[in-house]
Amino acid sequence: MARPDKEAAVAALADKFRESDAVLLTEYRGLSVAQLRELRRSLGGNAEYAVVKNTLAAIAARQAGLEAFANELTGPSALTFVSGEPVEAAKALRDFAQDNKQLVIKGGIMDGAPLSADGVEKLASLESREVLLAKAAGAVKASLSKAAYLFAAPASEAVRTVDALREKQETAA
């Protein structure tokens, strides 16, 4: 019979799996408590880094419908539950892993789709949401400027033609 405290922990983890926009899986073997504290601080406000027991996390992942992710839980695992922009959390984990070789990024899940370690790396290499939005706005503005020029060109050409005819008539007279 399952203990009530374990059932509550599984239910809480399953809720976190369902509510998170992304969950990133790392192995933290060899990191000190101070390093884990630094990592949690670097993740910011939209991510929660939690050291979990694999069996409980696997049960919770299966309850949340993440069967493939449940099979990845081996070794000393820690989960990063991301609410909001997953790129920032992936960048923070990547940067921390570059400075601390003990942290190994094993994969994750985003929008129900599994991510490999390379997928998390690609996610971390994306530009921030604000930069991508600014680039999109610039592209739209450039397209609108080009369209405005094309719409104004026939009228400008007509004015230049009329001016040229007027000058020709004045010189002929």
Side-chain angles (χ1 to χ4, degrees):
M1 181 162 162
R3 293 194 341 223
D5 57 336
K6 287 186 179 181
E7 288 177 2
V10 168
L13 281 172
D15 287 342
K16 283 185 181 183
F17 275 117
R18 287 186 201 101
E19 294 167 359
S20 298
D21 295 317
V23 180
L24 305 175
L25 176 64
T26 59
E27 183 177 311
Y28 66 94
R29 186 186 332 249
L31 290 176
S32 67
V33 173
Q35 288 172 319
L36 287 173
R37 190 176 325 115
E38 179 186 340
L39 173 59
R40 285 185 175 103
R41 224 178 283 131
S42 71
L43 286 171
N46 73 332
E48 177 187 346
Y49 191 77
V51 173
V52 295
K53 196 167 191 168
N54 287 339
T55 53
L56 299 180
I59 293 168
R62 286 187 181 95
Q63 285 181 2
L66 307 172
E67 185 70 34
F69 188 74
N71 297 331
E72 296 292 322
L73 293 163
T74 57
S77 300
L79 300 174
T80 305
F81 294 100
V82 183
S83 58
E85 194 61 36
V87 174
E88 295 172 16
K91 281 183 183 183
L93 285 174
R94 179 198 59 194
D95 294 345
F96 190 85
Q98 286 173 347
D99 295 338
N100 300 280
K101 298 299 180 193
Q102 298 95 342
L103 183 73
V104 177
I105 299 172
K106 294 168 49 174
I109 193 153
M110 186 171 80
D111 296 329
L115 289 172
S116 65
D118 290 336
V120 175
E121 179 64 33
K122 287 178 184 175
L123 184 65
S125 65
L126 289 176
E127 293 176 330
S128 70
R129 182 177 188 270
E130 291 78 20
V131 171
L132 293 174
L133 287 173
K135 284 184 176 183
V140 169
K141 181 181 176 191
S143 297
L144 289 175
S145 296
K146 194 182 278 187
Y149 173 76
L150 289 174
F151 288 133
S156 299
E157 186 65 30
V159 169
R160 284 194 293 274
T161 304
V162 169
D163 284 343
L165 287 173
R166 189 176 300 137
E167 283 181 28
K168 188 175 183 182
Q169 282 182 343
E170 288 175 359
T171 57

